[in-house]
Amino acid sequence: MSLRSADSIWQKSAEQALVAPVLQGEHSCEVAVLGGGVTGALIADRLVQAGVNTALVDMRELGTGSTAASTGLLQYEIDTPLCELVKKVGENHAVAAYRRGLTAIDEIEAITQALGDSCSFSRRDSLYFASHWWHFRRLNQEYECRRHFGFDVSLLSRTQLAEQSTLRSAAAIRSRGDGQIDPFRFTKALLRRAQQGGLKAFARSEVSEIDEQPTRVTLRTAEGSIAARHIVYATGYGSHRYLKEDEGSLHCTYAVASEPLTTTAGWPEGSLVWETARPYFYARQTADGRAIIGGEDTLFSSDHKRESLIERKAAALVQRFEKLFPQILFRTACAWAGTFGESKDGLAYIGQVPGRPSAYFAIGYGGNGITFSAIAARLITDLYLKRPNDDAALFRFGR
């Protein structure tokens, strides 16, 4: 499955390639990870750190699927507002999901420090603004809900927002605790460390057959095989092919990166910016002074294959940026598109599917793929090692 089109800004600015051989011959391990994006990298790295003999295989060059298309926002807020999530999954689970997002960002920060490579990680506030004046009531309800449960938020009025930015909106929620990262660089750094710890990683190796038995799994490619006790499906938005029932819907999203900005006037403190409208526009800055903007989602997962559509969507995103930040000149460096998924409640699916004891799944939907991946890495490692983990019930299949 094609998960993106065109090279993202991360690939264009990458300094080093990650070397991994084609899978050839017969190999064995305790856990085989299928998927070499950020999810697979986080899971494989944590398994290796726990002393688990692990192998990883991907049909592409490692990190070049949907991870390369990610814009690298790290937010504890999921696409479903907290006050709506409470109605969907109950107060305890909803609040736990938001709090778990915060600790996942803390974990990612700690990982980059241990890697000795920041991977352009930095902490950022988020500004969640009302797209239309009639969105004020629900924005205020969301603010009150988050504040009630102890999240570090403040509500900016129209006047306060105008004093700090060029955003012309009825109100905005400022959230503290979020961040941003270069997802492609992060994935490569994780896999390098895991390789040094003993991970057997294979690229450009399409798995043509998976023989999944209760106590063993065999993955076969054209030139080799991996025999394992368990398999982790970390194939992101391509996971539907390995499940009998789809747990979400797949769509397409678009992104544009600018040349380095000459000014950030009207954009307060490099905040992550997003809005209440659906689909929503969002924007972030990069370590080298660029803007990355995204949104303009379309219904079908294969829309990113249409170059003319990408051009139209990129133009619409730039036009939206210029309306929000009229003092900033946006000169396009590159544009790309990719597949993304939505679940019924905005939460990831992580864990085991009934009747498949040798398999684990990690499917992060929506705009929180990287934070969900960090959660999945800890949860799946704990499940494999039979350690308790409170996240199991929250992200379980069949909820």
Side-chain angles (χ1 to χ4, degrees), residues 46 154 195 241 364 390:
R46 185 168 284 277
S154 55
Q195 285 175 313
R241 63 184 290 193
D390 292 338

Side-chain angles (χ1 to χ4, degrees), residues 143-397:
Y143 162 71
E144 293 291 350
C145 184
R146 290 199 219 167
R147 187 179 65 85
H148 173 75
F149 290 110
F151 293 97
D152 189 356
V153 293
S154 55
L155 185 67
L156 301 180
S157 67
R158 180 186 297 275
T159 300
Q160 291 171 316
L161 200 55
E163 289 172 348
Q164 301 176 31
S165 73
T166 54
L167 297 174
R168 298 295 176 256
S169 173
I173 298 173
R174 172 176 282 145
S175 304
R176 294 171 178 83
D178 290 333
Q180 58 187 31
I181 201 167
D182 177 337
F184 189 50
R185 183 172 161 187
F186 184 49
T187 298
K188 291 191 298 179
L190 283 165
L191 289 173
R192 285 195 189 96
R193 180 171 75 173
Q195 285 175 313
Q196 292 168 1
L199 173 71
K200 291 174 283 190
F202 304 98
R204 306 176 306 284
S205 304
E206 183 169 6
V207 174
S208 56
E209 180 185 353
I210 300 175
D211 181 10
E212 198 181 297
Q213 299 296 325
T215 59
R216 64 173 177 82
V217 179
T218 304
L219 294 77
R220 297 186 179 90
T221 69
E223 300 181 60
S225 65
I226 301 174
R229 291 173 56 189
H230 287 80
I231 182 173
V232 178
Y233 292 93
T235 48
Y237 304 134
S239 297
H240 66 284
R241 63 184 290 193
Y242 303 110
L243 291 166
K244 291 183 179 179
E245 296 182 6
D246 289 342
E247 297 291 354
S249 54
L250 298 181
H251 311 291
C252 205
T253 191
Y254 304 83
V256 188
S258 74
E259 298 290 354
L261 304 175
T262 57
T263 180
T264 57
W267 190 338
E269 301 174 348
S271 299
L272 310 179
V273 176
W274 60 310
E275 65 176 331
T276 55
R278 293 295 184 271
Y280 57 83
F281 171 92
Y282 63 90
R284 59 157 291 192
Q285 297 176 22
T286 66
D288 61 351
R290 302 174 189 269
I292 296 179
I293 57 179
E296 285 290 317
D297 305 345
T298 52
L299 288 176
F300 303 105
S301 62
S302 60
D303 283 346
H304 60 78
K305 298 178 182 179
R306 298 163 54 192
E307 187 173 338
S308 61
L309 180 59
I310 295 174
E311 291 176 357
R312 293 200 304 273
K313 292 297 185 178
L317 287 168
V318 172
Q319 185 177 30
R320 179 74 166 133
F321 178 90
E322 291 173 341
K323 183 177 180 180
L324 295 172
F325 302 107
Q327 299 175 34
I328 303 176
L329 174 63
F330 190 106
R331 293 176 295 127
T332 298
C334 62
W336 66 96
T339 301
F340 81 101
E342 290 183 320
S343 67
K344 61 185 179 182
D345 52 19
L347 298 177
Y349 286 95
I350 306 168
Q352 293 185 290
V353 177
R356 298 175 67 177
S358 59
Y360 301 96
F361 284 84
I363 309 174
Y365 284 110
N368 303 75
I370 301 175
T371 53
F372 284 151
S373 296
I375 294 168
R378 183 179 292 276
L379 175 53
I380 287 175
T381 300
D382 285 346
L383 290 173
Y384 178 75
L385 296 175
K386 302 189 185 311
R387 299 188 302 213
N389 188 308
D390 292 338
D391 296 332
L394 181 58
F395 298 105
R396 72 189 187 281
F397 284 83

Side-chain angles (χ1 to χ4, degrees), residues 84-194:
E84 293 182 20
L85 191 62
V86 167
K87 298 174 185 177
K88 290 177 179 287
V89 302
E91 181 179 300
N92 290 339
H93 278 174
V95 175
Y98 267 61
R99 288 176 178 160
R100 188 62 183 90
L102 275 171
T103 58
I105 298 171
D106 292 339
E107 290 171 7
I108 292 168
E109 181 175 23
I111 291 170
T112 61
Q113 292 169 350
L115 288 170
D117 181 349
S118 72
C119 301
S120 296
F121 175 91
S122 60
R123 288 284 185 173
R124 287 289 186 271
D125 290 351
S126 284
L127 279 180
Y128 180 47
F129 69 91
S131 306
H132 309 286
W133 64 265
W134 58 89
H135 289 185
F136 173 79
R137 173 177 286 186
R138 75 184 197 207
L139 186 82
N140 187 62
Q141 289 175 337
E142 177 67 9
Y143 162 71
E144 293 291 350
C145 184
R146 290 199 219 167
R147 187 179 65 85
H148 173 75
F149 290 110
F151 293 97
D152 189 356
V153 293
S154 55
L155 185 67
L156 301 180
S157 67
R158 180 186 297 275
T159 300
Q160 291 171 316
L161 200 55
E163 289 172 348
Q164 301 176 31
S165 73
T166 54
L167 297 174
R168 298 295 176 256
S169 173
I173 298 173
R174 172 176 282 145
S175 304
R176 294 171 178 83
D178 290 333
Q180 58 187 31
I181 201 167
D182 177 337
F184 189 50
R185 183 172 161 187
F186 184 49
T187 298
K188 291 191 298 179
L190 283 165
L191 289 173
R192 285 195 189 96
R193 180 171 75 173

Side-chain angles (χ1 to χ4, degrees), residues 29 31-36 39-41 43-44 47 54-58 199 219 226 230-234:
C29 61
V31 178
V33 178
L34 182 61
T39 306
I43 292 169
L47 286 167
T54 307
L56 177 146
V57 60
D58 197 300
L199 173 71
L219 294 77
I226 301 174
H230 287 80
I231 182 173
V232 178
Y233 292 93

